[in-house]
Amino acid sequence: MKRPISEPLTITGPAGRLQALLDTPPSVADQHVAVICHPHPLHGGAMTNKVAHMLARSFNEAGARALRFNFRGVGASEGSYDEGRGETLDTIAVIDWACERWPGARLWLAGFSFGGAIAARAALQRPPERLVTVAPAVTRVAVERPPRCPWLIIQGDRDELVDLQDVQRWASGLDPQPQIRVLAGVDHFFHGRLNELREVVVEWLALPPHDHGAAR
């Protein structure tokens, strides 16, 4: 696969300018754009995180533009950390920008760890066609109710930061339930397993909506 074209961007957010990066694959389907949220801003999380980067590549492989951005207070983004509240608003602002730039495009939304929970929160206000969350920190950042869209959670069973059983217990109480894909031997940052993560995402995106299934 040829490398995507990366374009640095600045997007106006509710707390000031947001630093962003748009990855466009050589063969792009105009009907899809993916927005990707990075892990915790106070623990080194940024749009250059390797899991966020691999999510972008996964969406590119599926023919979609991938838009990563830094939450407020990260990198060149203005503002300061806001315990998930402002970061949710940042995500909504980026989604709105993308939908204005590509009118009629179908939204895919994704996030990793803290960003996974933020993506799920934003999905309640800007429903995506599909939602992908990797090791979402749903027990640390409240997600009031499940978004009503096809939703995949990818989780390692050796995650030292987001406990698999906590995520499974949380997901079991949702209606509708997300599909959970558990990867054996995978830690929080998917060391040595990033290509497997990409394969799971690309495979799931290729399924028709009615085949996404429930949590397992």
Side-chain angles (χ1 to χ4, degrees), residues 19 44 70 86 111-112 115 163 167 169 173 207 212 216:
Q19 182 183 18
N70 279 332
F112 169 48
D163 184 75
V167 173
R169 190 178 305 112
L207 293 173
H212 284 94
R216 61 180 174 87

Side-chain angles (χ1 to χ4, degrees), residues 148-167:
R148 305 193 71 84
C149 64
W151 179 6
L152 174 66
I153 295 175
I154 305 172
Q155 181 77 40
D157 67 357
R158 293 188 181 178
D159 193 316
E160 68 281 15
L161 298 179
V162 176
D163 184 75
L164 169 62
Q165 292 186 347
D166 287 345
V167 173

Side-chain angles (χ1 to χ4, degrees), residues 24-34 59-60 62-65 102 105-106 108:
T24 303
S27 178
V28 63
D30 287 337
Q31 67 266 31
H32 289 115
V33 59
F59 288 118
N60 287 162
R65 293 179 174 87
W102 297 287
R106 297 175 182 177
W108 289 345

Side-chain angles (χ1 to χ4, degrees), residues 128-211:
E129 182 182 72
R130 302 189 186 190
L131 173 65
V132 177
T133 57
V134 179
V138 290
T139 61
R140 303 179 187 183
V141 180
V143 180
E144 294 80 4
R145 61 187 188 279
R148 305 193 71 84
C149 64
W151 179 6
L152 174 66
I153 295 175
I154 305 172
Q155 181 77 40
D157 67 357
R158 293 188 181 178
D159 193 316
E160 68 281 15
L161 298 179
V162 176
D163 184 75
L164 169 62
Q165 292 186 347
D166 287 345
V167 173
Q168 290 176 321
R169 190 178 305 112
W170 174 83
S172 68
L174 301 179
D175 184 19
Q177 291 187 10
Q179 179 182 354
I180 301 180
R181 177 71 178 270
V182 179
L183 300 185
V186 171
D187 62 15
H188 186 67
F189 293 102
F190 286 73
H191 292 300
R193 305 290 289 276
L194 287 170
N195 281 325
E196 187 173 347
L197 171 65
R198 176 185 55 78
E199 291 169 359
V200 170
V201 173
V202 172
E203 177 185 327
W204 186 77
L205 291 172
L207 293 173
H210 62 270
D211 286 342

